[in-house]
Amino acid sequence: MRQRLFWLAPLAIGLLIQPRLQGQARPQEPVRDLRIDPMLLVSVKEYRNVLETIGSQIYPGWKWNTVPLLLYRPNVQDILLNAPHRPPGFANFTGHTVLPDKVIYARNDSTERNTDGQNTSLTLDSMQVLVVADQYSRQRQSIEANAQNGNLTSFLKNWDFIQSAYDEVEVLLHEAFHVHQGRLAPDKHANEQSVAQYPVLAASNNALVALETRILREAVLAKEAAQRRARIEQYLAVRTLRRAGLDTSSVSYENLTEFTEGTALYVQLRFEQLGERVTPVPEMYLRPGFTGYRGGVLARRLERHMNDMVKIASFSDDRFGNKFGGGPLRFRLYSSGAAQALLLDEVAPDWKQRIFAPGVYLTDLLAAAIPLSTDQRARLVAQSKAEYGYDSIFVNRQALEAEGRGRIQQRVDKIVNTAQTLVTISYGGVGDIRGMSYTPFGVTAVNNHTAIYDLVPVAMQFSNRVVLRLKSVVPVLVDREAKTVTFAIAGASALFDGKGASGVDTPELSLSGAAGTKISVAGSKVRIDLF
């Protein structure tokens, strides 16, 4: 399971995360012991080997060997590779590794990321850095998620907690490419708050998405160029029709997510197409389940990726225990973006030089390469609907829409009708939420102005600079029309008595103080008004 933290407003980052000390780094005692999983360093060695061998064929112009790597286990150790300078708080690492790096930096007991499984990129002391959690951090995250979803018994019985060596190398490829994206198109990314307004449950949109993903799968896996082109034409016709029914915000979200995440997943899939040319480093064969790249191993992985895209679009993907939330939407766009990029390799080979420009998107490049008339699109839509059984798909999506709305309402009711302490923060008196820390995988739209946020501890800053931090994962209901934030906690309401301007700090949350903060307690209900 892969999650990333996002921010609603960049200006809030420095206020919601404790800043690192800046300035000249003071000498530190060398770090001698490796505390992260040493096999992650084997994967790093193989990631470099792959890109040294076929990197220029995967993505020309990608200066992957200039990307620093931060490997971590939360609150245990940071290991920093390929960095041009030593950040404050880090020391020279003098232990043994499988890597040839002459200079490695490390930090014990304090890590730049203290949440499990954060495979992402970040800025560390002015450096754009690739971040990967070690397998024990990812395993812990997976175990916790499966326990919450009631799947722990089968997860353990089937050995699903063992991390794939192939997945780990591909995660490094994926996240390193995000650094390349950030260098060439730093402002070209989706507004993640759009997840809260996207019509995730709309039956008409989802029925056409089902057609799109099935056509894309057939296009990518087609053996002949003529078959691929015919499928691309079908895909463009169906997508044009579907997007005519979406608002501009949702179309923009799709385009930008397919650019950022789709092209990064493309790097993985392109490796799966070309990887048989790579001879793995010997240490990779120490990884459980690793058998090299020949014999159809990578081709089967590519096919599974395409099948997974269709599975997600069919609402059978429940990896986060919430198939009606933002997670399946995002994962579907990862795959559809990557699939389009693979097809562009054949019909518009120069797409990699053009895609970083503002306003240039994968679907537009496909449409420019294979133009269709209005009559052609209409004929292709009719053909696609008949071929894939659109009418029955639409009926199925109507049922799923009803099911989804019911489940989401149950989640809302569980928050507002809790037997625990119900906390409501009214922020209308100060304007708005200025910044927010969350993962879009944990966003579930209730209606066009209300959403539930969970999966990670949520934090937010209001316009008067008051900051709310949840210290554990607590579902938070945000109503932007009523301008309220509502959640349930186990702690007694008495913990809020007499607080206000002095702030609140309980085992479950903290709320910084402000002169215009009024707290009212009535039984198990707490209301906090910000003025």
Side-chain angles (χ1 to χ4, degrees), residues 388-399:
Y388 292 100
Y390 174 81
D391 290 342
S392 62
I393 291 174
F394 180 66
V395 170
N396 172 267
R397 297 309 187 264
Q398 285 180 310

Side-chain angles (χ1 to χ4, degrees), residues 472-488:
S472 60
V473 178
V474 173
V476 176
L477 185 66
V478 178
D479 186 333
R480 294 186 175 276
E481 185 173 84
K483 293 188 179 294
T484 57
V485 176
T486 305
F487 53 92

Side-chain angles (χ1 to χ4, degrees), residues 163-177:
Q163 305 283 302
S164 164
Y166 296 95
D167 286 347
E168 191 162 80
V169 172
E170 289 188 15
V171 163
L172 285 159
L173 292 170
H174 182 116
E175 300 300 342
F177 188 77

Side-chain angles (χ1 to χ4, degrees), residues 466 498-504 511-519 528-529:
V466 167
K499 308 293 185 181
S502 61
V504 177
L511 183 75
S512 61
T517 300
K518 177 184 176 183
I519 298 181
I528 302 173
D529 290 285

Side-chain angles (χ1 to χ4, degrees), residues 346-412:
E346 182 170 316
V347 301
D350 65 340
W351 75 270
K352 292 173 183 174
Q353 288 72 49
R354 301 168 60 191
I355 194 63
F356 295 104
V360 176
Y361 303 111
L362 295 165
T363 301
D364 297 335
L365 293 174
L366 266 182
I370 303 181
L372 299 171
S373 68
T374 302
D375 288 344
Q376 285 176 307
R377 289 199 302 269
R379 175 179 57 79
L380 289 164
V381 167
Q383 174 189 330
S384 301
K385 286 185 173 182
E387 181 179 358
Y388 292 100
Y390 174 81
D391 290 342
S392 62
I393 291 174
F394 180 66
V395 170
N396 172 267
R397 297 309 187 264
Q398 285 180 310
L400 283 167
E401 180 175 0
E403 178 190 351
R405 295 196 186 285
R407 285 202 197 179
I408 291 170
Q409 189 58 50
Q410 289 174 1
R411 295 186 65 198
V412 172

Side-chain angles (χ1 to χ4, degrees), residues 111-291:
T111 50
E112 197 67 23
R113 282 287 180 264
N114 57 15
T115 304
D116 283 319
Q118 292 298 299
N119 305 319
T120 183
S121 58
L122 56 77
T123 301
L124 173 64
D125 198 35
S126 76
M127 298 177 289
Q128 192 68 15
V129 176
L130 155 65
V131 180
V132 176
D134 80 351
Q135 75 158 330
Y136 297 106
S137 173
R138 284 178 268 127
Q139 283 176 336
R140 183 166 70 172
Q141 182 188 57
S142 295
I143 290 169
E144 289 177 346
N146 279 276
Q148 291 172 2
N149 299 341
N151 300 325
L152 186 58
T153 300
S154 62
F155 180 73
L156 296 176
K157 181 179 180 180
N158 297 329
W159 302 94
D160 291 334
F161 56 90
I162 296 178
Q163 305 283 302
S164 164
Y166 296 95
D167 286 347
E168 191 162 80
V169 172
E170 289 188 15
V171 163
L172 285 159
L173 292 170
H174 182 116
E175 300 300 342
F177 188 77
H178 278 313
V179 177
H180 182 59
Q181 285 177 329
R183 290 172 174 176
L184 296 185
D187 299 319
K188 192 174 180 178
H189 49 78
N191 176 5
E192 293 301 334
Q193 192 58 28
S194 298
V195 176
Q197 283 83 45
Y198 188 93
V200 170
L201 298 179
S204 57
N205 185 65
N206 289 328
L208 291 171
V209 163
L211 265 61
E212 281 185 22
T213 53
R214 294 178 193 193
I215 294 167
L216 270 180
R217 176 182 62 185
E218 299 300 325
V220 170
L221 299 179
K223 301 299 183 183
E224 303 294 336
Q227 294 175 324
R228 280 191 292 278
R229 185 180 180 92
R231 292 300 187 186
I232 294 171
E233 290 177 353
Q234 281 185 281
Y235 168 74
L236 288 170
V238 173
R239 173 158 277 210
T240 300
L241 173 66
R242 182 180 66 82
R243 284 191 162 181
L246 289 179
D247 60 34
T248 55
S249 173
S250 295
V251 172
S252 176
Y253 182 76
E254 287 190 349
N255 279 334
L256 287 163
T257 303
E258 287 180 336
F259 163 69
T260 54
E261 298 296 350
T263 54
L265 180 57
Y266 160 82
V267 168
Q268 296 179 237
L269 303 190
R270 188 61 174 154
F271 159 64
E272 291 171 359
Q273 288 184 329
L274 302 174
E276 285 198 1
R277 305 174 190 179
V278 178
T279 299
V281 299
E283 295 91 339
M284 279 298 291
Y285 290 95
L286 299 175
R287 301 297 307 263
F290 185 80
T291 58

Side-chain angles (χ1 to χ4, degrees), residues 409-424 474-475 477 486-491 493 508 522-526:
Q409 189 58 50
Q410 289 174 1
R411 295 186 65 198
V412 172
D413 292 343
K414 187 175 180 179
I415 295 172
V416 299
N417 298 326
T418 181
Q420 297 182 316
T421 297
L422 182 68
V423 179
T424 299
V474 173
L477 185 66
T486 305
F487 53 92
I489 59 173
S493 59
E508 292 171 287
S524 62
K525 295 184 178 180
V526 176

